[in-house]
Amino acid sequence: MHKILDVIVIGGGQSGLACGYYLRRHKINFLILDKEEKCGGSWLHAWDSLTLFSPAEHSSLPGWLMPKSENLFPLKQEVIDYLCQYEKRYELPIECSVTVENITSENKIFKV
C-alpha cells in the first residue's frame, strides 16, 4: 500500500486509541497500525486474573467513560471489551496484523 498520511500511530492499545481520538477530532489524516489480529492491545496477552489497578472512572480513554464494573477494579475481559467498543465508537482507522519492521525517511517523507 502506498498512501501519504499526516500521521501513522504504531500500536493500537490504550495510548494508540487515545491518540486516534484526538487526531480524528482535529481532522488529521491518520492510520493506526497494530500487530494484533484483533482489538484489545496487550490485554490480549495478560493473565485472565489481571485487573486494572484503579476503578473504571479513573481508567477511561478520552471522550468516553469506561463502564463501571461490578468489581472494584475492571477485569481483563471488561477492559478488552471497552477497548474494542472504543475503536468502533470513534470509527478509528486501524489495520490489524501489521508488524512494523522499518521506518525510513526519504525527501522529508517517512516510509513505514
Side-chain angles (χ1 to χ4, degrees):
M1 166 172 62
H2 298 286
K3 275 194 217 178
I4 295 183
L5 302 164
D6 296 319
V7 175
I8 294 178
V9 177
I10 300 171
Q14 287 113 309
S15 296
L17 297 180
C19 287
Y21 171 84
Y22 286 109
L23 290 165
R24 179 167 294 290
R25 280 187 71 182
H26 288 87
K27 299 182 182 350
I28 294 173
N29 187 19
F30 73 98
L31 177 64
I32 299 171
L33 301 176
D34 193 63
K35 69 178 180 179
E36 301 300 335
E37 293 180 16
K38 58 184 181 176
C39 56
S42 62
W43 282 90
L44 297 169
H45 304 287
W47 300 293
D48 290 337
S49 61
L50 187 66
T51 66
L52 283 177
F53 58 84
S54 58
E57 60 266 21
H58 300 296
S59 303
S60 300
L61 294 177
W64 188 37
L65 292 176
M66 179 182 282
K68 289 194 179 232
S69 174
E70 291 181 9
N71 304 288
L72 178 58
F73 304 122
L75 305 175
K76 171 187 172 179
Q77 192 57 52
E78 292 173 311
V79 176
I80 291 170
D81 292 345
Y82 172 67
L83 296 176
C84 293
Q85 291 168 12
Y86 191 92
E87 282 185 24
K88 290 177 187 164
R89 179 183 183 103
Y90 293 107
E91 298 176 342
L92 298 175
I94 300 174
E95 285 193 26
C96 293
S97 300
V98 175
T99 300
V100 175
E101 296 177 354
N102 194 12
I103 302 171
T104 59
S105 176
E106 186 177 306
N107 299 323
K108 297 185 181 182
I109 294 176
F110 287 101
K111 292 183 176 186
V112 179

